[in-house]
Amino acid sequence: MKIGVLALQGDFAEHISMLKKIGVDTAEVRLPKHLDGLNGLIIPGGESTTIGKLAVAYDLMEPLKRFGKDHAIWGTCAGAIFLSKDISRSDQPLLALMDIKVQRNAFGRQVDSFETDLDIDELMKATGTEHPYHAVFIRAPIIESVHGNAKILSALDDGRIVAAQEGHLLATSFHPELTSDTRFHEYFVSLAS
Ligand code: GLN
């Protein structure tokens, strides 16, 4: 099992440490050839416009789209934006792999970042645990709606969607790499295998 982390911008190093913690081989992905031999890919949080621009500059757009057709990809925060089909504007590159509509910066500015506990049934079932998942939101997007085969994994009490899954594709508004809870990484690895 080898999982790559897109290492163009953002907090890829934190994802690498989480994967190492659960005993998974990792690779930093900056060029198309770095996708060879990977079972899955994580796209980290950061700034989705920058990640998109750099992916275009490094000729990664098509290789990433192809990789996502038959491999697991998980986008966290900016990564979730980059994975989505629709963000109600067309001025930034998107992989458009996941049938979800996302709204950027939906909770406001940096100062409106927050943390909350989520009950995520699918995650608890998959990891055989019962305690809630502590989620960290930093200038986070929300998933406005899910379409086609995409399904809701988790929503806030007010109904706003913060995690979704479409087969082997996963999107979270929050940052599981910034906690010490490895359950989301374990869940993703199970999708990749
Ligand atoms: N606000 C960023 C964006 O729109 C995402 C923030 C994050 O990844 N923490 O791309």
Side-chain angles (χ1 to χ4, degrees), residues 2-9 11-20 22 24-29 35 38-45 51 64 67 71-80 82-83 95 170 172 174 176-177 184-189 192:
K2 191 170 183 182
I3 302 288
V5 183
L6 191 65
L8 299 175
Q9 190 265 342
D11 67 342
F12 53 88
E14 286 78 359
H15 273 295
I16 300 253
S17 328
M18 287 298 265
L19 291 167
K20 286 194 172 143
I22 58 170
V24 170
D25 281 345
T26 61
E28 292 185 5
V29 174
L35 291 167
L38 296 180
N39 299 96
L41 178 76
I42 297 177
I43 305 175
I51 292 174
L64 286 172
F67 184 85
H71 292 85
I73 302 187
W74 173 21
T76 60
C77 205
F82 190 46
L83 256 189
L95 292 178
L170 194 59
T172 55
F174 47 89
E177 73 285 10
F184 240 105
H185 288 78
E186 288 162 38
Y187 183 62
F188 177 66
V189 169

Side-chain angles (χ1 to χ4, degrees), residues 25-177:
D25 281 345
T26 61
E28 292 185 5
V29 174
R30 293 192 177 82
L31 296 171
K33 65 178 183 198
H34 299 155
L35 291 167
D36 294 348
L38 296 180
N39 299 96
L41 178 76
I42 297 177
I43 305 175
E47 193 54 45
S48 58
T49 48
T50 309
I51 292 174
K53 270 186 209 156
L54 291 171
V56 170
Y58 289 96
D59 284 328
L60 272 163
M61 292 299 287
E62 287 312 313
L64 286 172
K65 286 181 193 178
R66 250 180 281 130
F67 184 85
K69 295 264 179 259
D70 49 7
H71 292 85
I73 302 187
W74 173 21
T76 60
C77 205
I81 298 167
F82 190 46
L83 256 189
S84 71
K85 269 204 177 126
D86 185 0
I87 57 164
S88 312
R89 45 193 268 186
S90 55
D91 55 353
Q92 72 180 84
L94 299 177
L95 292 178
L97 281 167
M98 254 186 108
D99 211 352
I100 54 174
K101 183 171 183 191
V102 173
Q103 185 193 345
R104 291 182 63 197
N105 303 325
F107 299 96
R109 298 152 55 105
Q110 198 80 17
V111 289
D112 300 310
S113 297
F114 65 101
E115 303 185 13
T116 192
D117 283 342
L118 300 171
D119 285 313
I120 308 177
D121 292 342
E122 200 71 28
L123 180 76
M124 297 186 198
K125 230 191 298 158
T127 54
T129 55
E130 278 171 6
H131 54 291
Y133 190 84
H134 190 71
V136 179
F137 294 80
I138 304 170
R139 281 189 70 215
I142 55 158
I143 301 167
E144 266 181 52
S145 51
V146 300
H147 305 272
N149 293 323
K151 59 177 188 181
I152 299 170
L153 269 192
S154 179
L156 300 175
D157 290 340
D158 63 11
R160 287 185 287 182
I161 307 164
V162 291
Q165 181 175 343
E166 183 176 350
H168 54 278
L169 303 172
L170 194 59
T172 55
S173 298
F174 47 89
H175 288 271
E177 73 285 10

